[in-house]
Amino acid sequence: MSLKLRLILSFLCMAVLAWLASAILAWNEGREQFDEFFDTYQLVLARQLATVDWSNITSKTQNSVNKIINTLDDEGEEDDEALGLAVFDKTGKMIFHDNKNGRIFTYDNNTNGFAEQYIGKKQKKWRVVWTNSIDNRYRIAIGQEVDYRNEAALEMVEEAYIPWGYGLIVLVIACVFLIHQEFKPLQKITKDLQDRDTDNLCPMEYRKAPKEIVPLLEAMNALLLKITKMIEKERCFIADAAHELRSPLTALNVQLDVVELASDDKKTQQKALKNLREGLERSTHLVEQMLALSKIDTQTHENFDDFLDWKNIFFKAVNEQFDIANDKNIKIKTNFKKNFALKNGQSFLWSLLLRNLLDNAIRYSNVGADINIDIEENKIQISNNKTSVDKKYITRLGERFFRPAGQKINGSGLGLSIVEKIASLHKCSVTYQSVDDIFIVTISM
């Protein structure tokens, strides 16, 4: 069921239950009040009748009383039918009654005060008070039907609560209307979302929205903003990738044409084949870097639960670059002063980060350079001498596809972007320095 329907049904059930509970409570309270009132009335009447001289009562007196009762107006008839009185002598003979209900009373010499008794052929329940006359020669019984008291209490509740029942119906209708009105902003938001085009990622308007759903709308807007940034990032990535791939692919086509045209010129053909191989290597490296960067973009910090064995990670990274470094007579030195403070993360990503740093260092270092890797408690520092970067380019290092002007070494311009992304995912920072022909990359916690 919808939230609106659940609210309406819940309110309706609670309102009806509250109305019934209050009605039952009122009936019980009214019943007690009626009992106290009628018991007092019966007791007062019994005391008054106890002072009467019943010795002079004869059958003629009874007949006269009967005639008087029969000629009375019907007003109060219901009360007369609900009440009864009878007077008995000590032998149990009824000497007087009210010509109504009192005639069905039976003598009881054992009860004094109030008692609930079943009287008559129908065995109806009566509340009867028994007392003796002042001279102790007669027994007086004054009773009232219990059903009458119940009906009187029920009538009182009906008179009070039936109007409240109509009021409850009006209240429920009003609440249904108000709930419907209050849910209109949600319905409008739903309609706006349904009517949106797939490329419409504008934030949702919530100035007129209820306070309770503003956090939901803010969260939705934050999500839309993330999606917008992600799509924009993907578009930029695709555009940059297309731009970067266009040049090597064009060059490959040119070299392929040269190979085909220089079939008779072995020297030219071999040079073209060499250029073709280098172009393929560059393109392969670029695609690998792009795939790595794309994979990193999908990572989240919550997935980084591997225990990081730093010595093993550095050992593998250095071994992978050993042959390339050896070709340029470059020495790689690793100095573990302390274990790096970061204990958990993605081993694969840190290996990729170090591979890119060492690859960059080897590519852009001169022959015979030294590359030093220092590991301390809160930072990793990689420095290569005989290498410098113009200060005006320092701040742009790490941008995707950015390469300083005048570079003669082939590259994709993605290596340091991958380094910064991996460091950021592990909540680390990357800084660059170029001092006295020494280029330094520092990764800090």
Side-chain angles (χ1 to χ4, degrees), residues 42 45-47 49 83-86 105 114 127-130 140-144:
Q42 286 177 246
L45 184 57
R47 288 173 179 171
L49 293 177
L83 287 169
L85 68 89
F105 285 10
F114 286 97
R127 185 166 175 79
V128 184
V129 58
W130 290 89
I140 301 168
I142 299 174
Q144 187 174 45

Side-chain angles (χ1 to χ4, degrees), residues 107-120:
Y107 181 70
D108 185 352
N109 192 40
N110 299 320
T111 303
N112 285 307
F114 286 97
E116 291 185 351
Q117 299 175 333
Y118 293 91
I119 299 173

Side-chain angles (χ1 to χ4, degrees), residues 30-144:
R31 185 68 174 77
E32 290 180 5
Q33 294 295 328
F34 273 111
D35 281 343
E36 292 178 6
F37 172 76
F38 286 119
D39 283 353
T40 303
Y41 173 71
Q42 286 177 246
L43 194 59
V44 170
L45 184 57
R47 288 173 179 171
Q48 290 177 343
L49 293 177
T51 61
V52 176
D53 183 8
W54 297 102
S55 61
N56 296 323
I57 299 298
T58 63
S59 57
K60 185 177 180 181
T61 305
Q62 179 70 63
N63 291 333
S64 299
V65 171
N66 292 345
K67 288 180 181 179
I68 295 171
I69 292 173
N70 290 333
T71 56
L72 288 175
D73 190 80
D74 286 342
E75 292 184 6
E77 182 178 355
E78 186 177 354
D79 291 348
D80 287 342
E81 290 178 354
L83 287 169
L85 68 89
V87 181
F88 301 87
D89 60 19
K90 284 296 183 175
T91 63
K93 179 183 178 182
M94 185 180 293
I95 63 169
F96 183 78
H97 57 77
D98 61 358
N99 197 33
K100 291 284 186 180
N101 297 314
R103 291 181 298 179
I104 62 175
F105 285 10
T106 55
Y107 181 70
D108 185 352
N109 192 40
N110 299 320
T111 303
N112 285 307
F114 286 97
E116 291 185 351
Q117 299 175 333
Y118 293 91
I119 299 173
K121 294 181 180 180
K122 296 182 179 181
Q123 289 292 290
K124 289 187 176 182
K125 192 176 182 180
W126 287 69
R127 185 166 175 79
V128 184
V129 58
W130 290 89
T131 186
N132 293 327
S133 61
I134 291 178
D135 56 12
N136 208 28
R137 293 171 56 193
Y138 302 94
R139 293 279 288 169
I140 301 168
I142 299 174
Q144 187 174 45

Side-chain angles (χ1 to χ4, degrees), residues 183-409:
F183 269 81
K184 277 189 174 181
L186 283 178
Q187 294 171 350
K188 184 178 182 300
I189 292 169
T190 302
K191 189 174 185 307
D192 288 345
L193 288 173
Q194 290 173 341
D195 294 342
R196 279 192 172 207
D197 295 331
T198 54
D199 57 348
N200 184 2
L201 296 175
C202 296
M204 301 288 297
E205 179 62 45
Y206 58 86
R207 285 183 300 176
K208 295 182 180 180
K211 184 178 179 180
E212 289 75 12
I213 66 171
V214 167
L216 173 63
L217 294 176
E218 289 178 342
M220 289 177 62
N221 287 341
L223 179 61
L224 289 173
L225 181 60
K226 289 180 182 178
I227 294 172
T228 301
K229 289 181 177 179
M230 183 186 70
I231 293 174
E232 185 62 30
K233 186 187 296 183
E234 292 299 323
R235 286 174 179 170
C236 291
F237 182 79
I238 293 170
D240 291 341
H243 175 75
E244 290 298 318
L245 284 171
R246 186 185 300 117
S247 296
L249 290 176
T250 303
L252 288 174
N253 283 326
V254 170
Q255 296 302 324
L256 185 59
D257 290 339
V258 171
V259 170
E260 291 176 347
L261 293 172
S263 57
D264 297 332
D265 188 348
K266 297 296 182 181
K267 187 177 180 180
T268 303
Q269 192 177 52
Q270 287 178 356
K271 184 178 180 181
L273 286 172
K274 181 183 176 182
N275 292 335
L276 184 62
R277 184 178 295 108
E278 289 177 354
L280 285 171
E281 289 176 355
R282 179 187 174 192
S283 299
T284 302
H285 180 71
L286 175 60
V287 170
E288 287 176 350
Q289 294 287 70
M290 287 169 59
L291 289 174
L293 193 58
S294 177
K295 184 176 181 179
I296 294 168
D297 282 339
T298 63
Q299 296 288 331
T300 59
H301 186 73
E302 288 75 11
N303 299 326
F304 299 168
D305 53 4
D306 295 346
F307 175 74
L308 299 175
D309 184 354
W310 288 107
K311 289 187 178 181
N312 186 46
I313 291 171
F314 277 97
F315 177 76
K316 286 183 177 180
V318 172
N319 272 0
E320 286 178 3
Q321 304 296 326
F322 179 79
D323 291 337
I324 302 173
N326 194 45
D327 290 342
K328 294 183 69 172
N329 196 27
I330 293 175
K331 295 179 181 179
I332 302 175
K333 298 178 182 179
T334 304
N335 181 20
F336 279 90
K337 296 179 181 178
K338 289 184 179 180
N339 288 330
F340 192 42
L342 191 65
K343 302 299 181 185
N344 294 93
Q346 275 274 10
S347 298
F348 162 75
L349 293 180
W350 278 105
S351 297
L352 180 61
L353 179 146
L354 291 171
R355 186 165 68 245
N356 276 279
L357 283 177
L358 289 174
D359 180 68
N360 267 21
I362 293 169
R363 278 174 181 269
Y364 299 105
S365 292
N366 295 320
V367 175
D370 291 332
I371 297 176
N372 295 309
I373 305 174
D374 296 312
I375 297 94
E376 300 182 11
E377 185 176 0
N378 291 316
K379 68 179 180 179
I380 299 171
Q381 194 171 78
I382 298 177
S383 58
N384 49 319
N385 60 8
K386 300 182 182 179
T387 304
S388 62
V389 177
D390 196 321
K391 291 184 179 180
K392 65 181 179 180
Y393 297 129
I394 289 286
T395 57
R396 297 195 60 190
L397 293 178
E399 291 183 14
R400 292 184 178 185
F401 302 110
F402 172 75
R403 301 182 73 229
Q407 288 289 338
K408 297 179 181 179
I409 306 298

